[in-house]
Amino acid sequence: MADENNPNSTNGKNGGKVGLLEKVKAGVKEHIQGLKTDIPAKAKEQIEGLKDPTKTQVYTSIFRHKHDDTPRNRALGVLSNVFLHLHPAKINRDAVRYSYTWGMGGMTFYLFIVLTYTGVLLMFYYHPSKVQAFRDVLYLEHDVPFGKILRNMHRWAAHLMVIGVWLHMFRVFLTGSYKKPREFNWNIGVLLLVFTLLLSFTGYLLPDDQLGFWAVTVGTNMARATPLLGHEGPFGSMLGMTPYNDVRFGLLGGSIVDANALLRSYIWHCIGIPIVASILMIVHFWRVRKDGGISGPAPVMLEAEADKPRRGPKAAGE
Amino acid sequence: MDWRQLWEICSAPDNVPIVGLIPLLAFYIYLAWRQAHANDVLIAQLETDPALAKTHHRKTWPFKPGWQKEVHVWPFLLRIEFLAAIIVTIVLMVWSITLNAPLEEPANPNLTMNPAKAPWYFLGLQEMLVYFDPWIAGVVMPTLIIVGLMAIPYIDTNPLGSGYYTWKQRKFSISTFLFGFIILWVAMIIIGTFIRGPGWQWFWPGQTWDHNRLIYEVNRDLPDIFGITSNVAKAIFGGIVVIGYYLLGGFLVYSLFRRYMGKDFKRMSLLQFSIVQFFLLTMVALPLKMALRLLWHIKYVWITPWFNV
């Protein structure tokens, strides 16, 4: 039999069984003892550890540095955060002066975010069709919880954004901030101005009321008169332009402001222009950093220094 | 004085931004002017005192040796941004609670609004429709505005005034921009909003909008005044006037530049200078054409079979 080779088999079947049972008993006893002492000790230790959550693996995986108030941590707080790293770690002590910057660029960007947020919420309640559009606005105004304030915020933020862009541009001009090396970024800014106005303009039609309808009619009627490309513009009819194939037709998707114009407006307003404007904003912000941060407040220059380079090998050689 | 009419215009929800824009602009112009003046005083002082110019930190704000030149973005900038975001949010919330966005009757192509106005930020262009044909006011002008704005950094060759407010170092460029922004853009918007009533007629603030008012204005064309009747002669005459305006005006700009802004003129290439000339003359042409129309009832200067200017 197989038992003959087993040393335990000499104690008989019973003896072997008792040995195993005792072993299991001892093991269980040990584990129960462990449950009573080790686990509470471990749990206590871990709960103690939770009292300082900054040491947990979850926390350290999210935040990559400590937050004690040291210069290094202040810099890292900005540099290791994807949203804040648009900023440098340190800036000129005078560059934070509101009287110089007016803060209009930042506020405009903030308003863009507010508009995106409120705009997405509005999209849940709005159908860009002639049958539904106006009713949806009435529904928003009267039945949707907080619908009225949502629409109001979207509209007033849009107006504020237009004003913000103008004032930003005004400040940039008055401080000569478009001068070398920031020429290109000024151009991006001009494009952003245009797209801000277009965003606002395409949104004007969406409530499908008299105000928007006639504003857009007046606005797009000018496209009729586009030289060469409009049927009423100079040389337009010579090139075969009619109300059914000119540039205005392309903008409205028809010869009058109707269902297609509403849909086109909606798509430009909610998808097309925001994407283009966002890309331009990315370039705009990136260039601010690459062109050496905000322009000033810089030390004043004197007439005699006008044609001398300020820095670089040429200035050092003089 | 019709106060009710005035109140109706000023309190129309979509006109509120313009009512707000005026004090905002006044405040920021004041803020910029105050700093420009302070800088100009400092510049004048440094110009007369070269020794001081070498050691001075060249800003109007105090700075002492030993002070750090840079500050941490966190917290010194981020707290301002955070505060600005909160203030903008509060302003927006209060505005949205107190004033409702406008909603008129459902769109009706058969019922024309009178006056039918574009959104307020385009009213300057709509005002231009009175004085120019739609292809100029609606297409050429916006294009020129965009192109002109984009050209600014490449035609302004003055290296002074980069990164600080100043008036004395940039008199020409600042006054040109103020002319374009305040007079040609904002003032036209204000006219379009507060002054233009039914039929796009001129109603002074406080004057009742009379929907039945008719004005019999006999508008003439410039060639008519000179007794030119044939179409060919009209086209040639108008062409001469317009081209002559640019040539003579161009010469005037040239001589003024040489006389008063010799240094800037020297720095400019011929291309840069001719672009400045063109945009300057085109900007000045707007109020000139407005004056021709409003004071002498002249409609067109240049009449051709294809376009009228």
Side-chain angles (χ1 to χ4, degrees):
Chain A
M1 286 176 76
D3 282 32
E4 281 176 354
N5 296 328
N6 193 330
N8 290 336
S9 64
T10 50
N11 295 330
K13 275 185 183 175
N14 270 354
K17 264 186 186 171
V18 169
L20 188 65
L21 198 67
E22 272 174 357
K23 265 189 185 173
V24 169
K25 267 185 182 169
V28 168
K29 223 176 189 178
E30 195 188 319
H31 284 298
I32 286 173
Q33 193 58 37
L35 260 179
K36 278 183 181 159
T37 56
D38 294 7
I39 299 290
K42 213 169 186 182
K44 203 177 173 191
E45 188 187 315
Q46 280 164 9
I47 287 168
E48 281 301 315
L50 280 180
K51 281 188 180 162
D52 186 3
T54 60
K55 293 217 170 83
T56 60
Q57 191 187 358
V58 173
Y59 184 92
T60 51
S61 72
I62 300 171
F63 302 101
R64 320 280 338 201
H65 62 88
K66 290 179 180 170
H67 285 84
D68 332 336
D69 190 6
T70 62
R72 184 183 139 80
N73 282 340
R74 284 188 178 188
L76 283 175
V78 172
L79 297 181
S80 66
N81 180 307
V82 69
F83 302 106
L84 299 182
H85 94 288
L86 280 172
H87 303 91
K90 281 180 144 192
I91 46 164
N92 188 302
R93 64 178 296 122
D94 293 320
V96 295
R97 286 183 188 272
Y98 182 80
S99 56
Y100 178 81
T101 64
W102 301 2
M104 285 298 161
M107 285 192 228
T108 308
F109 179 54
Y110 177 67
L111 285 166
F112 181 78
I113 294 170
V114 170
L115 283 162
T116 311
Y117 182 71
T118 53
V120 168
L121 291 180
L122 286 172
M123 282 170 82
F124 286 130
Y125 296 98
Y126 179 84
H127 303 76
S129 71
K130 272 305 229 193
V131 180
Q132 283 272 47
F134 188 78
R135 291 178 197 187
D136 283 340
V137 180
L138 287 182
Y139 179 57
L140 260 166
E141 295 243 302
H142 299 291
D143 290 311
V144 176
F146 301 107
K148 200 167 204 167
I149 195 174
L150 193 63
R151 184 169 111 83
N152 289 351
M153 277 183 80
H154 194 73
R155 185 149 194 132
W156 302 138
H159 287 334
L160 272 182
M161 187 172 161
V162 171
I163 294 176
V165 171
W166 290 0
L167 288 175
H168 176 59
M169 191 171 208
F170 192 39
R171 193 284 287 174
V172 168
F173 187 89
L174 289 179
T175 55
S177 305
Y178 57 84
K179 296 186 180 192
K180 223 169 164 178
R182 298 182 176 79
E183 303 99 315
F184 180 71
N185 216 14
W186 166 271
N187 281 286
I188 300 288
V190 173
L191 290 180
L192 278 169
L193 164 80
V194 174
F195 282 113
T196 304
L197 294 177
L198 286 180
L199 265 176
S200 197
F201 186 65
T202 49
Y204 221 72
L205 181 66
L206 297 185
D208 198 31
D209 63 343
Q210 282 284 70
L211 196 66
F213 177 84
W214 286 103
V216 171
T217 302
V218 168
T220 51
N221 271 350
M222 299 205 197
R224 274 183 203 173
T226 312
L228 308 178
L229 295 177
H231 71 277
E232 284 175 5
F235 310 109
S237 55
M238 288 178 188
L239 291 170
M241 290 299 157
T242 68
Y244 305 100
N245 65 1
D246 68 349
V247 63
R248 180 170 177 273
F249 189 92
L251 288 174
L252 294 178
S255 58
I256 53 165
V257 180
D258 204 27
N260 283 348
L262 191 63
L263 186 61
R264 282 187 190 203
S265 239
Y266 178 74
I267 291 170
W268 279 121
H269 185 75
C270 303
I271 300 170
I273 303 175
I275 289 177
V276 179
S278 301
I279 292 170
L280 286 173
M281 268 184 257
I282 292 169
V283 178
H284 198 62
F285 300 158
W286 187 71
R287 282 303 286 244
V288 171
R289 288 293 302 281
K290 291 292 150 184
D291 295 340
I294 73 161
S295 60
V300 297
M301 266 173 102
L302 302 183
E303 194 73 42
E305 302 158 342
D307 292 311
K308 289 179 194 163
R310 238 182 185 184
R311 291 183 209 90
K314 240 182 155 182
E318 275 172 353
Chain B
M1 193 71 188
D2 187 347
W3 290 103
R4 191 189 154 77
Q5 180 74 58
L6 190 65
W7 171 247
E8 265 176 19
I9 298 173
C10 291
S11 65
D14 264 3
N15 291 347
V16 169
I18 315 164
V19 178
L21 177 67
I22 298 168
L24 266 181
L25 260 182
F27 170 73
Y28 281 110
I29 289 175
Y30 162 75
L31 194 63
W33 177 82
R34 214 184 52 174
Q35 293 174 83
H37 179 72
N39 278 333
D40 287 343
V41 169
L42 176 68
I43 290 166
Q45 190 194 357
L46 296 181
E47 293 276 12
T48 52
D49 190 348
L52 184 66
K54 275 193 180 145
T55 54
H56 197 275
H57 69 283
R58 302 226 178 166
K59 287 185 194 175
T60 48
W61 292 299
F63 183 77
K64 284 181 185 153
W67 284 10
Q68 286 196 326
K69 280 193 175 160
E70 292 192 318
V71 292
H72 276 288
V73 160
W74 169 256
F76 297 103
L77 176 61
L78 287 178
R79 70 179 176 195
I80 296 175
E81 294 179 347
F82 187 55
L83 207 60
I86 290 174
I87 291 170
V88 170
T89 312
I90 291 172
V91 168
L92 196 60
M93 285 289 230
V94 171
W95 190 358
S96 303
I97 290 168
T98 51
L99 192 68
N100 284 329
L103 187 68
E104 306 264 339
E105 310 266 295
N108 184 353
N110 299 317
L111 186 68
T112 312
M113 295 259 285
N114 190 12
K117 289 190 178 183
W120 61 273
Y121 36 84
F122 286 148
L123 283 183
L125 293 170
Q126 200 179 353
E127 174 67 12
M128 283 297 120
L129 277 174
V130 177
Y131 315 101
F132 295 93
D133 276 0
W135 69 276
I136 301 184
V139 184
V140 174
M141 275 183 196
T143 312
L144 284 181
I145 292 170
I146 296 167
V147 173
L149 283 172
M150 290 179 120
I152 286 175
Y154 303 104
I155 54 180
D156 182 357
T157 53
N158 181 1
L160 296 174
S162 174
Y164 53 92
Y165 293 93
T166 173
W167 158 248
K168 288 194 173 152
Q169 290 185 339
R170 299 176 60 209
K171 282 180 189 169
F172 174 71
S173 52
I174 284 178
S175 37
T176 312
F177 193 83
L178 283 177
F179 173 67
F181 182 49
I182 305 294
I183 310 282
L184 294 184
W185 190 250
V186 177
M188 291 303 137
I189 288 174
I190 289 170
I191 290 178
T193 310
F194 298 110
I195 300 211
R196 292 299 181 175
W200 207 256
Q201 287 176 17
W202 192 284
F203 290 91
W204 291 105
Q207 203 180 342
T208 312
W209 278 11
D210 179 0
H211 284 258
N212 299 314
R213 184 168 87 164
L214 288 173
I215 293 181
Y216 293 99
E217 265 180 356
V218 183
N219 282 324
R220 304 162 293 178
D221 298 326
L222 191 65
D224 297 339
I225 295 173
F226 292 88
I228 299 165
T229 47
S230 107
N231 283 340
V232 179
K234 276 183 178 177
I236 294 171
F237 173 81
I240 291 172
V241 171
V242 172
I243 293 166
Y245 166 74
Y246 276 95
L247 286 178
L248 279 178
F251 185 75
L252 186 71
V253 173
Y254 166 74
S255 37
L256 288 175
F257 249 77
R258 281 200 64 169
R259 181 148 181 196
Y260 296 106
M261 300 174 56
K263 276 188 182 168
D264 290 295
F265 184 69
K266 242 183 204 165
R267 286 192 203 105
M268 282 177 152
S269 71
L270 277 179
L271 181 65
Q272 285 172 322
F273 185 68
S274 34
I275 293 172
V276 170
Q277 272 179 321
F278 170 74
F279 278 111
L280 198 60
L281 289 169
T282 309
M283 279 168 77
V284 172
L286 301 187
L288 284 182
K289 184 83 196 284
M290 287 174 73
L292 282 181
R293 179 60 175 275
L294 294 174
L295 300 178
W296 292 288
H297 300 296
I298 290 169
K299 187 161 192 207
Y300 292 125
V301 172
W302 188 6
I303 302 157
T304 74
W306 312 283
F307 62 86
N308 300 313
V309 177

